[in-house]
Amino acid sequence: MTSSTRALGVLAVALVVAPLALPPFFLQLLTEIAIVGLFATAFNLLMGSGGMVSFGHAAYFALGAYAAALLVKRAGVPMLLALPAAPLAAAGGALLFGFFIVRLTHTYFAMLSLAFAQIVFTVIFKWKSLTGGDDGLLDVWPPAALKSPAAYYYFTLAIVALSLAALHAVGESPFGYALKSARENPRRARFIGINVRRLQLFAFVISGAFSGLAGGLFAFYNGSVFPDFAYFTKSFEPLVVALLGGPQAFFGPLAGAFGFKILEWLVSRQWPVYWPLFLGSIVVVVIVALPMGFVGLAGGRGWRTRLTGKT
Amino acid sequence: MSGLSVGMFLFLVSVGMSLIFGVTRIVNLAHGSFYMVGAYLMVTLVEVLPDRPWAFWLALLLAPLGVALLGAVIEVGLLRLIYHRDPLMQLILTFGLILVISTLVLLAWGPDNKSVSRPEALAGSVLIFGQPFPSYYLLVLGLAPAVAVGLWLIFYRTRWGMLIRAATVDREMLGALGVNVAALYTQVFAFGSWLAGLGGALAAPTIAVALGMDGDVLTTAFVVVVIGGLGSFAGSFISALLVGLLQSFGILVFPAVSIVLLFALMAVVLVVRPWGLLGRPEQ
């Protein structure tokens, strides 16, 4: 515990002083890593603690991004007021869809979440008069004070750090433990008086809200929003990131986001077209070639036992 | 009427998906990709084959076979290795395959939309109830029920069909009785892929063959399968017709919200009967 606290402290200091040493490009990369890290950590509240694998989390990311962008573009709301709308809109979507999704388990859960994400994608894509359809919404920039890479980096870092702290607190709260018990043995959880469905819906909404916040942050970072944000390939992102980093540890998805974004940058810089191929292949190879499986899903084995092969 | 034809494509894709799920317990998310590959193979075959009246029909025969081969390779090379693992791993694997296949299709066929011209004999339209109706759709309307009847005959009148039905009930027992279940899985997966490929090849002359059709079809087929009940063959047929009709009427009546209508129907089914109209409850 103390060593991980110390490591966290070192990381925090390094991230705060980074703008002094790094060129703007790397600050943008770090900003993206922070956003993806938040997205994946929010996603992992469901997968890691709740044992619920969503295949449609892009929906909430996109709802957040579009809510913030639409307020700025169509209603002229200032960015700092539009950003809080991102998690709210996403939470609303998560409540509506989650109501149906948490009724199902495992494969059905994953498939229904994917289906709802496709609806969100289709609505965004087809509702041209509001969302701009395929062309997206352009010129969604933060105010001048936050426009430089370093300023927006600090802004994102602060919000992501606060959100991660909140998500960590949720995971460690009685609610978080109840969620884990519902993952391990839903029937026994019901016996001791836990309303499993409501608990899971609540977790779904929290996860959706923070995914939406990540979407809102990304909208202003990117300066534009596109229907792709809700596409199923985007839903794949937090899943891969969490699996790469280890869904069992709270900071696993964040670590995964580092690895993922740096890999993406290295590959897309050279061969942008091949990136999905590369990503898909990694997933296929990792799943087929790592028989110990990923932590958590394979039955709650820790990193260490996975590495040494002991159970 | 065109709603019925859309229902037929959907039926071909979703019955394959449902069949694969029933036997192997894998929800093949790459099923939309197989449909897309079927359509693209059709494009290439029609281009490559000599310009004769029979070329279209030969292509219609070969394209689904190509997809079946692809399915068999994927089953033997990848899925077979992970049957004993968490079902979610299989789901994630097939999700990964979507990305791989869509990039490979992009590299092989390029980003532009393609089209396949209808065979000369069916290029015109006929009058039905005073309304012009493209005669190619008549082929679709005839062929898909023929496939449905063929499937019924296979399932209920052949030994192989009996094995498939047995496998959906109790795979381990079937294995214990000396049936080569691994080979059966491969056959079923290839057969399901063939159906998706047939759907794609048959749909190719009626649509713009484009990247992204994998996702569209996957979603709709998924709705069909969920409404009809995963693993239920008759359920897929009924719900494919229902969804096809709903989609076409939806487009006529409320163009913007037809897809929402579809998912509303699915949500209702999921709340009332989570395992679908004709499916079995989850264990």
Side-chain angles (χ1 to χ4, degrees), chain B residues 21-32:
Chain B
F21 176 82
V23 173
T24 67
R25 294 281 134 186
I26 286 182
V27 176
N28 179 27
L29 292 179
H31 219 64

Side-chain angles (χ1 to χ4, degrees), chain A residues 229-255:
Chain A
F229 288 12
Y231 204 53
F232 65 89
T233 45
K234 184 77 185 167
S235 291
F236 206 32
E237 195 177 274
L239 180 69
V240 173
V241 165
L243 286 176
L244 285 179
Q248 203 65 345
F250 179 77
F251 287 106
L254 194 63

Side-chain angles (χ1 to χ4, degrees), chain A residues 33-45 56-62 160 164 167 207-208 210-215 229 234-239 241 253-254 257:
Chain A
I33 288 172
I35 293 172
V36 173
L38 173 60
F39 185 25
T41 309
F43 165 86
N44 197 45
L45 175 69
H57 249 48
Y60 314 106
F61 185 87
V160 169
L164 290 182
L167 280 167
S207 173
F210 282 103
S211 304
L213 181 59
F229 288 12
K234 184 77 185 167
S235 291
F236 206 32
E237 195 177 274
L239 180 69
V241 165
L254 194 63

Side-chain angles (χ1 to χ4, degrees), chain A residues 12-106:
Chain A
V13 172
L15 287 175
V16 169
V17 298
L20 303 175
L22 291 175
F25 171 77
F26 285 97
L27 285 183
Q28 288 176 338
L29 189 63
L30 274 178
T31 311
E32 272 189 53
I33 288 172
I35 293 172
V36 173
L38 173 60
F39 185 25
T41 309
F43 165 86
N44 197 45
L45 175 69
L46 290 183
M47 182 166 80
S49 300
M52 297 175 273
V53 180
S54 160
F55 270 34
H57 249 48
Y60 314 106
F61 185 87
L63 280 175
Y66 269 90
L70 283 171
L71 280 177
V72 169
K73 287 292 283 186
R74 303 272 191 241
V77 174
M79 177 256 187
L80 287 178
L81 287 175
L83 189 60
L88 289 178
L95 183 65
L96 178 67
F97 299 150
F99 176 78
F100 299 105
I101 296 172
V102 299
R103 281 158 192 275
L104 307 179
T105 51
H106 296 110

